[in-house]
Amino acid sequence: MTLTFHWFLPTSGDSRNIVGGGHGADVVHRDRRVTTRYLRQIVTAAEELGFVGALTPTGLWCDDAWLSTASLLDSTDRLKFLVAFRPGLLSPTLAAQMATTFQNQSGGRLLLNVVTGGEPTEQKAFGDFLSKDDRYARTDEFLTIVRKLWEHGEPFDYAGKHLRVEQARLVSVPDPTPPIYFGGSSAAAGPVAAAHSDVYLTWGEPPAAVAEKLAWIRKLAADAGRTVRFGIRLHVITRDTSEDAWREARRLLDALPPETIARVQEGLRRSESEGQKRMLALHEGRPEDLEIYPNLWAGVGLARGGAGTALVGSHREVADRIKEYADLGIEEFILSGYPHLEEAYWFGESVLPLLARDSLWQHPTTTLTTPPPAVPFAP
C-alpha cells in the first residue's frame, strides 16, 4: 500500500501556539495573519516535501476556501486543493459549475470536502435553518444532482424534499471528476457518506474506535453496492526525540490559560456534531491525562473545534502510529501542525523518508524504487 499525505492551509491564521476556532470554539492565537504571501510559502513547501494536497477549511471563522485556493494555483504545479464547502449555502448546479471551472482550469487539481455543517448558530448566520438530520438529507439530494450534472447527459429535472432543479445541464464537465471527501459520525451521516463519498474521513481517535467506524461505513457502502477509501485528520508534533516532541506538546498546553480552555469548552459543548462530542469525550475538558493512546495526544481539542488530536513523538514513533492506522485501512492522512509551515518541514523531512523506507510512501514526483546513491555521481 502506498499512503497519501495532505497538509493544511491555515486560512484562519497561524501561530506558534494552538489556533482555536470552529464548531463553536472561541478563536485564540492568530499571531500570523492570513496573507496570500504566507499561504504561498506553505503550499510551496507542501508540494516540494511530497504532500499530494492541502485541506482548506470552511466556516465563519476562516477565509473562503474557493477564493483562497484559486489564488494559490499559480504558486504550485502539482499540489491539489481539498476545498471544504457547505452544500446548503449554494445551489447544486452552481457548485457543480464552480467545481468544473476549478478542475479544468487547474489541470485536475481539485478535491472536494463536503461539510454538511453541525452548528445551528453558524448555519443560521448563513441563512440555513434546517435541522441536522434535514441538512444531511439535503446533502444527499445535493450530491445526487451534482453527480448527475457531471455525467453531461441530457438536461434533467429533479424534485426532492429540499432541492429542485429544472432542465439542469452543464456546458462542460470536470476532467477528471473531482473525488468527494466526506466525514460524519452520526446515524444520519453514515448512509450519505456510503452513497456518495470517494474518501470517508474520520478524526483521530484511538485505533479501536477508528476500526469500529470504518467497519460501520464499509457495511453501509457494501449495502449500497459501493466501496470507499478511508482517510484520517490529525495534527502532528514530531521531533528528533520523543522527549523533544512531548516538551513541545507541554509548551502548547502551557500557553493556554485555564480560563481560555473553560471558555472554549463551553462553546464546544453546545455543538450538535457527533464527531465533536467524540472529540470532547477524549479529554473531558481536563488538561491532564491527555495521552489517550500511545503517541496520541488530545490536547489540541482543548482550544480548537473539529480535529482535536495530534500524533506526538519521535519521527520513528509517529511513523509507527501511521502504520498502525494504515493497517486498519486508512490510506489518506490529512495533517497539520503549529506553525503549519515549520511543522510541514519537521514531518516532511523526517517522517516521510522513514515511511518510504518502509515501502509505505513514495514522493509523487519520484519514480525510483531504490534510494539514490549517497555520493553524487557514484555508480
Side-chain angles (χ1 to χ4, degrees):
M1 177 191 297
T2 299
L3 304 179
T4 298
F5 291 89
H6 308 281
W7 199 244
F8 185 82
L9 281 175
T11 53
S12 62
D14 204 356
S15 174
R16 293 185 177 276
N17 298 304
I18 298 172
V19 178
H23 288 269
D26 232 0
V27 175
V28 295
H29 293 144
R30 284 185 174 180
D31 308 320
R32 296 185 187 178
R33 295 186 304 110
V34 182
T35 65
T36 302
R37 184 184 295 271
Y38 180 58
L39 294 180
R40 279 181 185 144
Q41 293 183 60
I42 294 174
V43 297
T44 300
E47 182 169 85
E48 292 179 352
L49 290 166
F51 292 96
V52 168
L55 171 66
T56 308
T58 182
L60 287 173
W61 58 284
C62 56
D63 284 0
D64 176 74
W66 291 100
L67 294 174
S68 296
T69 52
S71 71
L72 297 169
L73 283 171
D74 286 346
S75 303
T76 53
D77 299 313
R78 171 191 54 79
L79 192 74
K80 298 181 180 181
F81 292 94
L82 182 49
V83 176
F85 76 101
R86 303 193 181 196
L89 307 186
L90 70 170
S91 81
T93 306
L94 177 59
Q97 184 185 44
M98 290 168 61
T100 297
T101 303
F102 195 114
Q103 185 73 322
N104 293 345
Q105 293 192 11
S106 69
R109 293 198 281 147
L110 175 65
L111 312 171
L112 285 174
N113 181 24
V114 176
V115 180
T116 297
E119 312 313 324
T121 300
E122 186 177 42
Q123 293 297 128
K124 290 175 183 178
F126 279 114
D128 181 13
F129 290 83
L130 290 184
S131 67
K132 178 180 177 180
D133 285 356
D134 280 341
R135 289 197 297 271
Y136 277 109
R138 179 181 58 194
T139 296
D140 184 29
E141 296 178 8
F142 182 99
L143 292 175
T144 298
I145 295 170
V146 168
R147 293 281 197 191
K148 182 71 174 176
L149 284 162
W150 285 344
E151 292 174 2
H152 203 8
E154 295 299 317
F156 68 94
D157 299 343
Y158 179 93
K161 178 181 177 181
H162 302 287
L163 299 173
R164 176 181 175 183
V165 296
E166 293 184 359
Q167 295 297 288
R169 186 175 186 267
L170 297 179
V171 173
S172 61
V173 295
D175 183 23
T177 299
I180 290 176
Y181 291 65
F182 192 99
S185 300
S186 68
V192 182
H196 296 286
S197 66
D198 297 296
V199 179
Y200 174 79
L201 294 175
T202 180
W203 288 333
E205 300 179 41
V210 171
E212 183 179 321
K213 190 181 291 187
L214 268 53
W216 170 54
I217 295 296
R218 279 196 190 99
K219 183 181 185 307
L220 290 174
D223 291 344
R226 301 184 71 244
T227 58
V228 300
R229 302 193 310 278
F230 295 103
I232 194 168
R233 173 78 179 92
L234 287 158
H235 306 274
V236 286
I237 304 173
T238 178
R239 296 293 185 270
D240 294 336
T241 68
S242 183
E243 292 76 15
D244 287 345
W246 285 108
R247 187 178 301 112
E248 175 64 10
R250 287 192 295 272
R251 187 195 68 77
L252 291 173
L253 187 61
D254 290 343
L256 295 171
E259 57 271 21
T260 297
I261 295 175
R263 188 174 67 249
V264 169
Q265 294 302 301
E266 182 181 0
L268 291 176
R269 281 192 293 270
R270 294 193 291 267
S271 172
E272 285 187 350
S273 165
E274 185 63 29
Q276 184 60 67
K277 292 174 183 177
R278 293 169 72 108
M279 286 288 102
L280 292 177
L282 297 177
H283 55 68
E284 298 181 338
R286 300 193 307 265
E288 303 91 16
D289 302 322
L290 293 173
E291 189 177 7
I292 56 175
Y293 186 80
N295 306 110
L296 185 63
W297 185 63
V300 177
L302 293 175
R304 182 191 192 277
T309 54
L311 295 179
V312 180
S314 68
H315 308 311
R316 183 70 263 173
E317 288 171 336
V318 170
D320 288 344
R321 292 291 80 74
I322 287 172
K323 184 179 184 301
E324 188 171 358
Y325 282 114
D327 289 341
L328 300 177
I330 299 290
E331 299 179 47
E332 302 199 21
F333 292 78
I334 303 174
L335 307 175
S336 57
Y338 301 105
H340 291 78
L341 179 61
E342 288 91 325
E343 201 67 41
Y345 280 105
W346 276 112
F347 185 87
E349 293 179 338
S350 304
V351 178
L352 288 181
L354 293 178
L355 294 169
R357 290 176 206 160
D358 295 340
S359 300
L360 290 173
W361 177 79
Q362 181 174 287
H363 195 289
T365 62
T366 300
T367 57
L368 294 173
T369 57
T370 57
V375 182
F377 313 115

